[in-house]
Amino acid sequence: FYFRNKHGPFLLFVSLLHVHTPLITTEKFQGRSRHGLYGDNVEEMDWMVGKLLDVIDKEDLKNTTFIYFASDHGGFLEAHRGNSQLGGWNGIYKGGKGMGGWEGGIRVPGIVRWPGVLPAGRVIDEPTSLMDIYPTVVQLAGGAVPQDRVVDGHTLLPLLLGTVQHSRHEFLFHYCGVFLHAVRWHQKDSGTVWKAHYATPVFQPEGSGACFRRGICPCFGDGVTCHDPPLLFNLSQDPSEANPLSADTEPL
């Protein structure tokens, strides 16, 4: 692929089987990590990504190739074998894969490499979305997104280049299937990020942080709790969504 296209524009989309159950890992990487099979799988994925980057570097395409690395959702908490966690870990964030609203299911890595254009080591703490990849790629290719419909994504280039300081996403809607579970509001004047939850999954067992008995959390029915008024969190101060706000605690 690279050798055929290295003298002109190319788009390569790599969707890895790795860090997804059943964690298929080649023999060479089995037992390599201190974190069991999941860790071995991460190490093999890291090696595979490294091989791709090596080709880009070897073909002298490093400074002219925009690379975006991301995941489609957070870790799968219900994936277990005995005491082994097979689905990853979401750090301080509540919830995981299959949960429409909680941060652990939504927040994913977003790592960009473009050495000829973007400085290394910069961290941008702004809400963006995988929906932004499409308009970004279109702009890089010199095209224009269709004007006859609403396109939910926004090009990432102004944010990455530093020509703007804030994401164009004022609101992001978080669905579980076709059911709206939460809405995020990025308040422009203060920079505060608020989130309202209209429905949250019923954890089993209670307080466990996941739906272990069901295997994955449902989106509707008796598997969710509906909130009216919605649960409200200030993500800027409470990224773990531990303290829902009320009129007593939040005058706004």
Side-chain angles (χ1 to χ4, degrees), residues 84-99:
S84 299
Q85 167 63 298
L86 303 180
W89 182 65
N90 297 320
I92 64 167
Y93 302 115
K94 183 183 284 188
K97 175 184 177 177
M99 303 184 204

Side-chain angles (χ1 to χ4, degrees), residues 19-71:
V19 301
H20 196 293
T21 52
L23 300 178
I24 293 164
T25 308
T26 61
E27 206 171 319
K28 179 182 166 189
F29 284 90
Q30 289 174 19
R32 284 268 292 260
S33 163
R34 289 179 299 171
H35 299 283
L37 184 57
Y38 187 86
D40 295 346
N41 208 241
V42 170
E43 295 215 6
E44 185 165 35
M45 178 185 70
D46 182 64
W47 172 79
M48 291 164 74
V49 172
K51 296 296 274 186
L52 286 169
L53 297 183
D54 286 348
V55 173
I56 298 239
D57 294 354
K58 195 176 93 186
E59 295 296 329
D60 204 25
L61 297 169
K62 179 167 74 173
N63 290 337
T64 53
T65 304
F66 177 91
I67 297 168
Y68 186 100
F69 178 88
S71 174

